[in-house]
Amino acid sequence: MARAVTARRPSLKERFRGVSEILTEVRGQLMGKIGLGLIVFFVVVSIFALLTIPWDFYIEWNDRKLWEEYPEVVPPVWVSHFGVPVAQHVSKIMSEPTETMLYKRPKDYNGITLFGYTTIYRLRYRLKDPAFPQGILIMFEDVAINNFTYRGKLIRPDSISVGVHVLLHRPDGKVLLINEPTPRSLTEIASAKTVRFDDAYVANQILAMYPGTNMTKDYATSNAVKLAFGVYEDGVIKPLRGTYEVELIVTYLARGVSLEALKNVIEAGEIGVREVKMVIEGSAYGLMGTDSYGRDIYRALLYSFPVELVIGFIAAVAAVVIGLMMGVISGYYGGWVDEIIQRVIDIMGAIPALPILILVGAALQERGASPWMMLFVIIAFLIIFGWGGLAIIVRSMTLSIKSEPYVDAAKTLGASNIYIIFKHIIPQIVPYAMASLVFSVPAAVLTEAGLSVLGIRHNLPTWGTVLADARDYVYAGGSYGVWWWILPPGILMGLMSVAFVFLGLALETIVEPRLRRR
Amino acid sequence: MVDFIVRVEDLRVWFPVARSFIDVLRGRAKLYVHAVDGVSFFVREGETYCLAGESGCGKTTTGRTIIRLTPPENVVSGRVLFKPKKEVYEYIATHVPEAIVEEEGAVDVYRVPSKYIKPLRREMQMIFQDPFGSLDPRLRVRDILEEPLIIHNMGEGHEERLERVIKALELVKLTPPEEFIERYPHQLSGGQRQRVAIARALILNPRFIVSDEPVSMLDVSIRAEILEILDELRRKFKLAQVFITHDLALARYVCDRIGVMYLGRIVEEGPVDDIIENPLHPYTRALVAAIPEPDPENRKKLRELRIKGEVPSAVHIPAGCRFRPRCVAFDENAWVQERCRAEEPELIEVEPGHRVACWLYSKA
Ligand SMILES: Nc1ncnc2c1ncn2[C@@H]1O[C@H](COP(=O)(O)OP(=O)(O)O)[C@@H](O)[C@H]1O
Ligand code: SF4
Ligand SMILES: [Mg+2]
């Protein structure tokens, strides 16, 4: 009869019935639904970020050199869909010159004099909208500087003289030379690597373009890029639309070496420029625009997703676990253990955590601590100062559960304290601890962001640091109009908080049925 | 000396009253609730001993102290002796020789440190007053009943333990067991819960149980049923029992001997029929007079309640006889008043087995 009851352990499904039931209930509430949805979004984006961005992206982010070729403080490209005129950003790597020539005698070419083996790289650029590009940049990506022999003589790369001219052909037929073409040795070219738009040098040519106007040298210098891509009329510069061409001319000459021989070794790639990158910095960039170093904000925001979740979860989980254990120990054992824990909490509560963290952070920054070290210290602080509140609540819950008759019953049965704590007390507190955990995730993220803004930088690109950079930019006199730099990190932080707070509220009404409104 | 299973000797259990910080600063003396204040009695094998008295007189505290639920620091004096099974006695004799007392086969329960208490716990169990609080609401019946087996490593594996759980449910007549085994406490009625609690107390095969008002929180209609189950099992397993109740009529039905407690002390003790038919102590007399009389002819007697005032606080125990402020006999017998004021009366035997603590019966 009764033996019909089969002896079996509770299946996995039964064991987790509690969790899945809670999830079902959470989904039944509007707030829970929104919270869960947002959290799923954050997790999915985090996974995407982990798959697409290298984990050590922060090194790249902090290397200013790597971002030189990007326009600074420009909005995202999609603003063009909202009618904002945009000058396209164009960047092209060329490993073959568009054309080569051999001038055995000095010869005039587009107003400049060339002599020697000449390679020409050309880049066309269409300015469709009435907007100004931010500049022109030429980068020698790969320069071969080997020795070679010519008729038994050893020729060294520093004896090869290189002339570099960069011409800008405007749609109206005018031609500007964007830098001063002083001949340099091949080794110098290899180490300098970049050719920039020389404002002062261009200004002189601009002034010559507008004789009889009252344009000053200063004005021309400080507006050189705009004037190069525009027309000056009645004191204003208007963008000049049409097709431009940037022409990079590199001429090689080596004393005592025939031009043909020089041409051969260069074409063979043994010496000379092998690869160039020609960049016209646009007036918009990427999905999320750039910051004042030309860094791609989109990538920082994306990288930040998993970082923020990890910061939030580690800090929250650790604080909640410690708070739970301390609260239970304090409430269950009472006596001097309780006294010590409670006094420690009191003291922690009286310590001005934030000022101390700022000091510690500043000291660490001074010593050049690594980003991970800084982050570790911040998380450690969040944990150390984060467990006390929960511990107090858990202690009082433990006190009340401890006096439940079923705890006495368990003692009478011979249960040890540890058994009672883990079997009868903690399971009752876990749902509250979960709600508290959910609430403290965004708290940790917001504190981390707040610290960045206060100047405690861990230098990992996070929403907090992006926002802090924007603040620095604005404080240094920049415009508040950099919405693409300020709003997205702010909105993401807000969304993350909303996600966890909504989930927490939904959980709270489930674990605390008295809060239920029905 | 009588052959006992449990013997309580001059037990005092005091709980400190929390003082405010100001009180401490003012140097006010530390006050105590004298919950149990000099209680001695014994329980024989297979016997049910009742502790009766008004609420707050220390019955529960006495019961909890016997099964060592009261923290040792609150047990300010006295001993609780218990005679466990031979193996357990030997276990304690080897591990905690200081807990062994001169009485043969007995151990001093409060001398056994918690580290070695587990085997002793198997032998003495308790049924708590509140069946709604004594079952963990998150556990199913099977988990609740399996818990003692797991704690004491009883039963080879889950399946054997389940067998035992089912047997225990059958014993308390929760049948068919498969209908109850998966239920949570909130899916059970009060009576069903108390049966689970009884099953839990008995599943370890104890030789002694404390039943603390096991039916007082149940509907009147199901009390008899629960009491019957309890009585049947007590006989079946030859259990010694301390049965706590504030209801003398119930005590008469349940026990062999009874101790009437007042303000932390036993004031009268004896075979239950003796006590109820011939109460001697003024307090017992008042209690017996208050028993609802089923026979309408006798109901008139009930009117003259021979007691005055309220139970005083257990913090400030009246000097002399602690019952004096409420004692009608004190007022009526001028000759005894001096002694009542001066000294606490001890229990003295007036008839074989019938003892009372009142100066009225003192021969000296
Ligand atoms: N843990 C405790 N701490 C402080 N006082 C207690 C404690 N347990 C019981 N008391 C007090 O001891 C007295 C006796 O209580 P109790 O033994 O529960 O009486 P009864 O079971 O007869 O109603 C009461 O005054 C009660 O308030
Ligand atoms: S000793 Fe005195 S006061 Fe106490 S019960 Fe007896 S008569 Fe009453
Ligand atoms: Mg009681």
Side-chain angles (χ1 to χ4, degrees), chain A residues 1-3 5-10 17 404-406 408-415 419 423-424 427-428, chain B residues 64 67 69 118 121 125 128 133-134 136-138 142 147 151-152 158-159 162-163 166 170 178 184 200:
Chain A
M1 30 158 286
R3 306 295 171 274
V5 180
T6 47
R8 61 188 179 85
R9 296 186 167 279
R17 191 173 44 189
E404 290 284 346
Y406 59 79
D408 280 338
K411 273 189 211 156
T412 312
L413 294 171
Y419 179 94
K423 187 82 185 261
H424 292 289
Q428 308 246 35
Chain B
R64 289 169 58 90
I67 57 158
L69 270 186
K118 214 162 119 182
R121 290 245 178 256
Q125 283 298 310
F128 294 86
S134 68
D136 188 334
R138 292 179 326 92
R142 63 192 293 169
E147 183 169 58
I151 290 171
H152 289 277
H158 190 68
E159 280 156 45
L162 192 72
E163 291 272 302
I166 287 165
E170 283 167 353
E178 59 266 37
Y184 286 90
R200 174 178 60 186

Side-chain angles (χ1 to χ4, degrees), chain B residues 267 281-283 320-331 333 336-337 339-341 343-345 357-361:
Chain B
V267 293
H281 195 281
Y283 178 61
C321 173
R322 59 187 65 209
F323 186 59
R324 195 195 66 229
R326 306 180 69 191
C327 185
V328 183
F330 171 82
D331 298 339
N333 298 283
V336 81
Q337 285 181 356
R339 286 169 103 179
C340 298
R341 278 207 197 88
E343 222 182 313
E344 180 111 63
C358 170
W359 290 125
L360 285 176
Y361 304 96

Side-chain angles (χ1 to χ4, degrees), chain B residues 54-61 64 129 212-213 216 244-246:
Chain B
E54 285 163 295
S55 138
C57 69
K59 308 181 297 290
T60 298
T61 306
R64 289 169 58 90
Q129 184 173 11
D212 185 4
E213 313 208 33
S216 69
I244 293 170
T245 179
H246 60 272

Side-chain angles (χ1 to χ4, degrees), chain B residues 160-195:
Chain B
E160 201 186 312
R161 286 198 297 270
L162 192 72
E163 291 272 302
R164 291 211 193 194
V165 166
I166 287 165
K167 258 187 216 151
L169 284 174
E170 283 167 353
L171 278 180
V172 294
K173 303 202 167 65
L174 277 176
T175 46
E178 59 266 37
E179 204 178 286
F180 294 94
I181 204 157
E182 298 289 337
R183 290 204 200 166
Y184 286 90
H186 69 86
Q187 295 166 316
L188 301 174
S189 71
Q192 289 168 339
R193 286 172 191 227
Q194 200 60 304
R195 292 187 209 205

